[in-house]
Amino acid sequence: MGNRPDDLRALIDSVAKQEGEPVEVVVVGQGTPVTGVPDGVRTVDLPENVGIPAGRNVGIEAFGPGGTDVDVLLFLDDDGLLAHTDTAELVRQAFTADPRLGIISFRIADPETGATQRRHVPRLRASDPMRSSRVTTFLGGANAVRTKVFAEVGVLPGEFFYAHEETDLAWRALDADWMIDYRSDMVLLHPTTAPSRHASYHFNVARNRVWLARRNLPAPLVPVYLGVWLLLTLARRPSLSALKAWFGGFREGWTTPCGPRRPMRWRTVWRLTRLGRPPVV
């Protein structure tokens, strides 16, 4: 959004230092012109902030329809920094070794402490961020996606604007028999932050949670999934203003269009369960 030019330049420099074939870079400006980037970096200037998933979809199209000009796309937050110079090569090796691997979620670490927040480990058993594993979702600001996944299941849900768009894509990919890996050796340095820094966080989290369920879950699981998250939200004892925003989003999730409904197969429900995160939590 144009407010972190130094961070953006540092990220681009860390990409340029990657070993192996050069990584082509596209920067999407959300309602602001992109300036100050090195020669050879392509830019796309949007007239307004269309949200995280829609902005990333624009970036995908910059590499051809559905990103099909390339085999793999990296998505990196503009205030992140690739910690090592071999990350791109590790990504290439991982996708080459496993033809059914569709998405890789990187480990996010604080640049000063090296610590990884629990919420940045995309599984329920998150106590050991150094353990790589198969997972059921991924981190939006630090990941790699095989472009065949987009061709088969579609891109990110742009209408979500922010929150849960990664899980929506992940569930569709898993239902199409792709796999997702969390890799602790692929590291993006990123300052420790709270997700609630986004003004619309509580509203969007609740609305998009309902949309996610309505779009992707078998009908019997929709009330179970949303009931569990209602109880979890209340158990966390949010402030009155946060709770009011959350219930406003929850209500809107039921009363507004959520996009196409394509419920996952029951065998995908079983796969999610075997991977440690049944789609009820």
Side-chain angles (χ1 to χ4, degrees), residues 33-104:
V34 180
T35 59
V37 298
D39 293 340
V41 172
R42 290 192 287 150
T43 63
V44 180
D45 295 333
L46 301 179
E48 61 180 329
N49 180 5
V50 297
I52 294 173
R56 288 180 178 146
N57 288 342
V58 170
I60 293 170
E61 294 300 310
F63 292 93
T68 49
D69 288 351
V70 295
D71 295 324
V72 174
L73 287 174
L74 306 181
F75 297 88
L76 305 171
D77 273 357
D78 63 349
D79 55 346
L81 183 75
L82 290 176
H84 309 299
T85 60
D86 65 347
T87 301
E89 195 59 32
L90 289 173
V91 168
R92 295 185 186 102
Q93 292 171 7
F95 282 118
T96 300
D98 186 351
R100 293 312 303 170
L101 178 61
I103 303 172
I104 300 172

Side-chain angles (χ1 to χ4, degrees), residues 221-240:
L221 292 186
V222 172
V224 179
Y225 177 80
L226 295 175
V228 167
W229 277 104
L230 171 61
L231 293 175
L232 286 173
T233 299
L234 295 174
R236 291 169 177 170
R237 302 177 67 184
S239 67
L240 185 59

Side-chain angles (χ1 to χ4, degrees), residues 49 52 160-163 195-208 242 245-246 249:
N49 180 5
I52 294 173
F160 278 39
F161 196 85
Y162 165 77
S196 55
R197 70 189 184 280
H198 298 284
S200 60
Y201 170 76
H202 297 287
F203 181 92
N204 280 24
V205 161
R207 181 198 64 189
N208 293 359
W246 193 94

